[in-house]
Amino acid sequence: MSSLDLTLLPDGGMGWLDASGEASDIVLSSRIRLARNLAGMAFPARAREAERLRVLEQVREAVRIVPALSDGVVLRLDEVSPTDRLLLHERHLVSKELAGVDRQHPVRSGAALILSGTASVMVNEEDHLRLQSLRSGFSAQEAFAAMVAVDRGVGSRLPYAFHEEFGYLTACPTNVGTGMRASVLIHLPGLVLTKEIGKVLAGLQQMGLTYRGLYGEGSEVVGNFFQISNQTTLGRTEEELVDHLVRVVRHVIEREEEARRVLLRDAGYIIEDKLWRAYGTLRFARSLTFDEAMNYLSGLRLAVGLKLIGGLSVYTLNKLLIFSQLAHLAHAEGRELTQSEGNLVRARYVRQVLADEVGSHG
Amino acid sequence: MSSLDLTLLPDGGMGWLDASGEASDIVLSSRIRLARNLAGMAFPARAREAERLRVLEQVREAVRIVPALSDGVVLRLDEVSPTDRLLLHERHLVSKELAGVDRQHPVRSGAALILSGTASVMVNEEDHLRLQSLRSGFSAQEAFAAMVAVDRGVGSRLPYAFHEEFGYLTACPTNVGTGMRASVLIHLPGLVLTKEIGKVLAGLQQMGLTYRGLYGEGSEVVGNFFQISNQTTLGRTEEELVDHLVRVVRHVIEREEEARRVLLRDAGYIIEDKLWRAYGTLRFARSLTFDEAMNYLSGLRLAVGLKLIGGLSVYTLNKLLIFSQLAHLAHAEGRELTQSEGNLVRARYVRQVLADEVGSHG
């Protein structure tokens, strides 16, 4: 298995982190995902290899006429190395399941990613198709509009499994109906520091939304990064679900901004001190675990948002999150890294980026 | 009470920190102190004001013919402000008792310091006279030689309280005999990090030595700085006591150096990381308590000793210890400071010194 050439990916698969879009210092990205299956075929986990490969073939054929996907790159996950699969997962391009990151769920034959600059399809994940649009910033509506076009295009060539009463059929019953998950990746350090986050998260759940960590389902919240998404997919239209998410997230952004104002007003120098210490640690530490790096980078992101620290772009902050992950570090080094080697390389990488971007701060 | 003009002090009272002398990166300073009292006069705590002033007058007269003291400055502690008294104490020139730092023991009328570049006398401290020689680095023998000359000079003019059997009489029985305390201020982070310090300190006690914190009796150990001194003053000659201290401290220095080698060998990158983080915090923190500053400066001192961090002289490290104390910060600012104002000013001062001395480190 040869090493993945990331330059072949459209935008290096990093377009969703380019810091464009509304409120991109707080909302890193917005994602719409549609779960679709082909009528008359077993779900991937139950299908035989030959059937999964037939599904992949049909999807490849179908996307040729879909504008947003026709120039896409096709990556067979079962044909790249574990490190490269982890790398794609770290870049938020494929799910844990498709990448076969867990030993319990090894990569599935026929598992593939079709990736263009504006949309992607995971093939033979839990469902036959996971259509996705991932955008930088608070851009759920734009991502949804793109998804609708992709879904129509693919659906015009492939017979989706659809039930008059239930809607789109999916491998997991929680996705039945619209098959849609709309989500934003949002940074809420202000609400965490003012300890209001608990109330905000409880409020989300009452409004039919849920939250997860950086890597979606089952992942811990780290660095004050939350993925907020719709909980239900049934009984409402896709437009309603997206509009609802957007309204609620807009409110969360306002509360985060308010929390930051309160922090500066009531505890200005304590916050300044805390954030500058985070910066000092990132500038000089010789070893950083991933969780530590995320937490200090969260502080740095807040410091940039509060204009305490200048000279750092939101794009650089976004890149730091992605490139300080283990598979990215290993890819840059051109060799496998143990966790503790990764901690040393991570610290060196972060030091380098910060020294290059901001030089010496008083 | 006017503010103290520090430029009038010989060497600013900082000569003992100029980083000269043997092993000055580990042993900051060496001190010999002799307790002496005048025959036929009540000890200062029991004397009336007039008697204390008479003692002061006699001492001033006597030191005029003592070479090491004849050019000394006379500072009446009861005539300077509390902040300036604290400042002199922070500079290790006067004891807590003489400075009247504690509210329980206010400054005593007639309390004075006679200070020259090589020796000093505290007058009307616990004893009528506390002759002192404070030297940079591991220089206990030189300090002792200077003290002997001063003691002879003063003793030739003043009738010391002396008992054939017990030796010099002092206010506190623990000082009776030679009246001498020989001590070194030593930095032992290696032994603390390897957790050998407990054994070393227990060993000191078995050998008739004792240890205290930065500020002598009753002060906590902070920043891994220890004052090691002789416990007993009775039954041995002064030379024996000094030689014994020097021998034992030489052994402690060797153990400290060995501990540093072991740390680098067995936990090199953990130590590097820890020390660079301390440096990063000092470079960027916006608020530093005194204890925090001492602990991080201890890390920085070790990092310089291990040659991990360059561009910083031992003299700068010594100055940082002294000038980051509250009264020194207040003196530099020209105003009184509360503890929390002091924390902000301290952090700014430390940032400034480090930015000036080392610039930007990779």
Side-chain angles (χ1 to χ4, degrees):
Chain A
M1 292 180 180
S2 64
S3 186
L4 189 63
D5 184 354
L6 291 166
T7 61
L8 298 180
L9 301 182
D11 301 330
M14 290 282 295
W16 65 278
L17 274 177
D18 71 3
S20 63
E22 195 187 329
S24 67
D25 60 325
I26 293 180
V27 180
L28 283 79
S29 62
S30 304
R31 179 197 303 260
I32 303 290
R33 177 271 277 161
L34 300 176
R36 298 289 183 258
N37 287 280
L38 303 191
M41 309 278 254
F43 291 131
R46 299 196 166 194
R48 300 218 175 126
E49 179 171 346
E51 199 168 7
R52 287 198 297 266
L53 292 175
R54 209 155 60 235
V55 168
L56 175 57
E57 212 33 61
Q58 289 183 18
V59 175
R60 290 181 74 150
E61 278 298 314
V63 300
R64 288 205 186 138
I65 58 135
V66 178
L69 289 170
S70 57
D71 62 343
V73 168
V74 180
L75 274 173
R76 287 277 302 261
L77 275 299
D78 50 353
E79 291 177 353
V80 299
S81 71
T83 302
D84 287 339
R85 284 185 266 127
L86 182 56
L87 184 123
L88 291 167
H89 174 59
E90 286 180 355
R91 207 162 278 201
H92 292 234
L93 299 176
V94 298
S95 64
K96 227 174 194 169
E97 172 149 355
L98 197 74
V101 170
D102 286 343
R103 293 223 178 133
Q104 292 168 300
H105 303 94
V107 65
R108 199 175 274 149
S109 57
L113 170 71
I114 303 172
L115 178 72
S116 81
T118 52
S120 67
V121 190
M122 291 194 283
V123 185
N124 287 313
E125 209 250 20
E126 186 179 288
D127 298 297
H128 294 139
L129 292 93
R130 290 275 173 109
L131 307 174
Q132 292 199 106
S133 174
L134 183 54
R135 300 282 169 117
S136 175
F138 187 26
S139 315
Q141 320 264 28
E142 293 86 333
F144 178 65
M147 240 348 42
V148 168
V150 168
D151 188 35
R152 282 203 191 122
V154 176
S156 71
R157 289 287 293 266
L158 293 177
Y160 284 156
F162 186 84
H163 185 282
E164 283 297 323
E165 194 180 337
F166 301 132
Y168 294 100
L169 300 180
T170 55
C172 177
T174 58
N175 290 317
V176 168
T178 62
M180 187 182 80
R181 187 176 288 276
S183 65
V184 296
L185 179 56
I186 189 168
H187 185 227
L188 303 175
L191 291 169
V192 171
L193 284 167
T194 57
K195 299 193 165 56
E196 290 174 84
I197 191 71
K199 253 190 307 187
V200 170
L201 296 176
L204 291 180
Q205 264 157 346
Q206 285 176 351
M207 289 184 283
L209 302 180
T210 187
Y211 72 95
R212 293 157 177 184
L214 258 181
Y215 298 100
E217 207 161 340
S219 69
E220 294 273 313
V221 171
V222 60
N224 308 312
F225 294 103
F226 298 81
Q227 282 203 47
I228 298 178
S229 66
N230 61 306
Q231 174 93 274
T232 51
T233 64
L234 205 62
R236 282 175 158 194
T237 68
E238 288 86 341
E239 287 83 353
E240 284 169 352
L241 291 171
V242 173
D243 288 349
H244 182 62
L245 178 81
V246 166
R247 259 195 319 277
V248 174
V249 169
R250 204 175 294 288
H251 178 66
V252 173
I253 295 171
E254 280 162 16
R255 298 213 34 194
E256 170 66 18
E257 286 169 340
E258 174 63 16
R260 294 181 183 192
R261 276 191 296 273
V262 168
L263 281 172
L264 272 192
R265 191 192 64 204
D266 298 349
Y269 85 86
I270 296 173
I271 295 300
E272 273 196 52
D273 181 53
K274 185 180 167 73
L275 302 184
W276 277 108
R277 286 179 186 223
Y279 175 72
T281 305
L282 290 172
R283 273 291 300 278
F284 293 107
R286 258 51 188 171
S287 173
L288 285 170
T289 67
F290 176 69
D291 282 13
E292 268 187 313
M294 288 302 108
N295 286 325
Y296 291 130
L297 287 171
S298 168
L300 184 56
R301 195 175 184 96
L302 177 58
V304 170
L306 295 175
K307 306 202 190 320
L308 293 177
I309 297 182
L312 271 171
S313 69
V314 174
Y315 182 51
T316 298
L317 293 170
N318 288 351
K319 271 197 305 185
L320 279 167
L321 292 184
I322 300 301
F323 285 90
S324 63
Q325 298 172 102
L326 191 62
H328 276 78
L329 297 169
H331 191 268
E333 290 283 291
R335 64 186 178 103
E336 300 285 312
L337 297 172
T338 64
Q339 289 288 343
S340 66
E341 287 170 338
N343 294 343
L344 303 185
V345 175
R346 178 176 299 114
R348 197 183 63 213
Y349 166 71
V350 172
R351 286 202 309 276
Q352 195 65 56
V353 171
L354 294 181
D356 287 352
E357 289 253 335
V358 298
S360 148
H361 265 293
Chain B
M1 290 182 183
S2 63
S3 186
L4 188 63
D5 183 354
L6 290 166
T7 61
L8 296 180
L9 301 182
D11 300 330
M14 291 283 292
W16 64 279
L17 274 176
D18 71 2
S20 62
E22 194 188 330
S24 69
D25 61 326
I26 293 180
V27 180
L28 283 77
S29 62
S30 304
R31 179 196 303 260
I32 303 290
R33 178 269 278 163
L34 300 177
R36 296 290 183 261
N37 288 278
L38 303 191
M41 309 278 254
F43 291 132
R46 299 199 166 188
R48 299 214 175 130
E49 180 172 345
E51 199 168 7
R52 286 199 296 267
L53 292 175
R54 208 156 62 237
V55 167
L56 175 57
E57 213 32 63
Q58 290 183 19
V59 174
R60 289 181 74 150
E61 278 299 313
V63 301
R64 287 203 187 141
I65 58 132
V66 178
L69 289 170
S70 57
D71 62 344
V73 167
V74 180
L75 272 174
R76 286 278 300 261
L77 276 299
D78 51 353
E79 290 176 355
V80 298
S81 71
T83 303
D84 288 339
R85 282 186 268 126
L86 182 56
L87 185 123
L88 291 167
H89 175 58
E90 287 180 355
R91 207 162 278 202
H92 293 233
L93 299 176
V94 299
S95 65
K96 227 173 196 171
E97 171 149 356
L98 197 74
V101 169
D102 286 343
R103 293 220 180 134
Q104 292 169 299
H105 303 95
V107 66
R108 199 174 274 149
S109 58
L113 171 70
I114 303 172
L115 179 71
S116 80
T118 52
S120 67
V121 190
M122 292 194 282
V123 184
N124 288 314
E125 209 250 21
E126 187 181 288
D127 297 297
H128 293 141
L129 291 95
R130 289 275 175 108
L131 307 175
Q132 292 198 104
S133 174
L134 181 55
R135 299 283 168 118
S136 175
F138 187 28
S139 316
Q141 319 262 30
E142 293 87 330
F144 178 67
M147 243 341 47
V148 168
V150 168
D151 187 36
R152 284 204 189 121
V154 176
S156 71
R157 288 285 294 263
L158 292 176
Y160 284 155
F162 185 84
H163 184 282
E164 283 297 321
E165 192 180 340
F166 301 131
Y168 293 101
L169 299 179
T170 55
C172 176
T174 58
N175 291 317
V176 168
T178 63
M180 185 182 81
R181 188 176 288 277
S183 65
V184 296
L185 178 56
I186 188 167
H187 185 227
L188 303 175
L191 290 169
V192 171
L193 284 167
T194 56
K195 300 193 163 57
E196 290 174 84
I197 191 70
K199 253 190 306 184
V200 171
L201 297 175
L204 290 180
Q205 263 155 348
Q206 286 176 350
M207 289 184 284
L209 302 181
T210 187
Y211 73 95
R212 292 156 176 184
L214 258 181
Y215 298 100
E217 206 160 341
S219 69
E220 294 273 313
V221 171
V222 61
N224 308 313
F225 294 103
F226 298 81
Q227 282 203 46
I228 297 177
S229 66
N230 61 306
Q231 176 91 275
T232 50
T233 64
L234 206 61
R236 283 175 159 196
T237 68
E238 288 87 341
E239 287 84 352
E240 283 169 351
L241 290 171
V242 173
D243 287 348
H244 182 61
L245 178 81
V246 166
R247 256 196 320 276
V248 175
V249 169
R250 203 176 294 287
H251 178 65
V252 172
I253 295 171
E254 279 162 18
R255 296 211 39 189
E256 170 66 18
E257 286 170 340
E258 174 64 14
R260 295 182 182 191
R261 276 192 294 274
V262 168
L263 282 171
L264 273 192
R265 191 193 64 204
D266 297 349
Y269 84 87
I270 296 173
I271 294 302
E272 273 197 51
D273 181 54
K274 184 180 168 73
L275 302 183
W276 276 109
R277 286 179 186 222
Y279 175 72
T281 304
L282 291 171
R283 271 292 300 277
F284 293 107
R286 259 50 189 172
S287 174
L288 284 171
T289 66
F290 177 68
D291 281 12
E292 269 186 314
M294 288 302 108
N295 286 324
Y296 292 130
L297 287 171
S298 168
L300 184 56
R301 195 175 184 96
L302 177 57
V304 170
L306 295 175
K307 306 202 190 322
L308 293 176
I309 296 182
L312 271 171
S313 68
V314 174
Y315 182 52
T316 297
L317 292 169
N318 288 352
K319 271 198 306 185
L320 277 166
L321 292 183
I322 299 302
F323 285 91
S324 63
Q325 298 172 102
L326 193 61
H328 276 79
L329 297 169
H331 191 268
E333 289 285 289
R335 64 186 177 102
E336 299 286 312
L337 296 173
T338 64
Q339 288 289 341
S340 66
E341 287 170 337
N343 294 343
L344 303 185
V345 175
R346 177 176 300 115
R348 197 182 65 213
Y349 165 71
V350 172
R351 285 202 308 279
Q352 196 65 57
V353 171
L354 294 183
D356 287 353
E357 288 255 336
V358 297
S360 147
H361 264 296

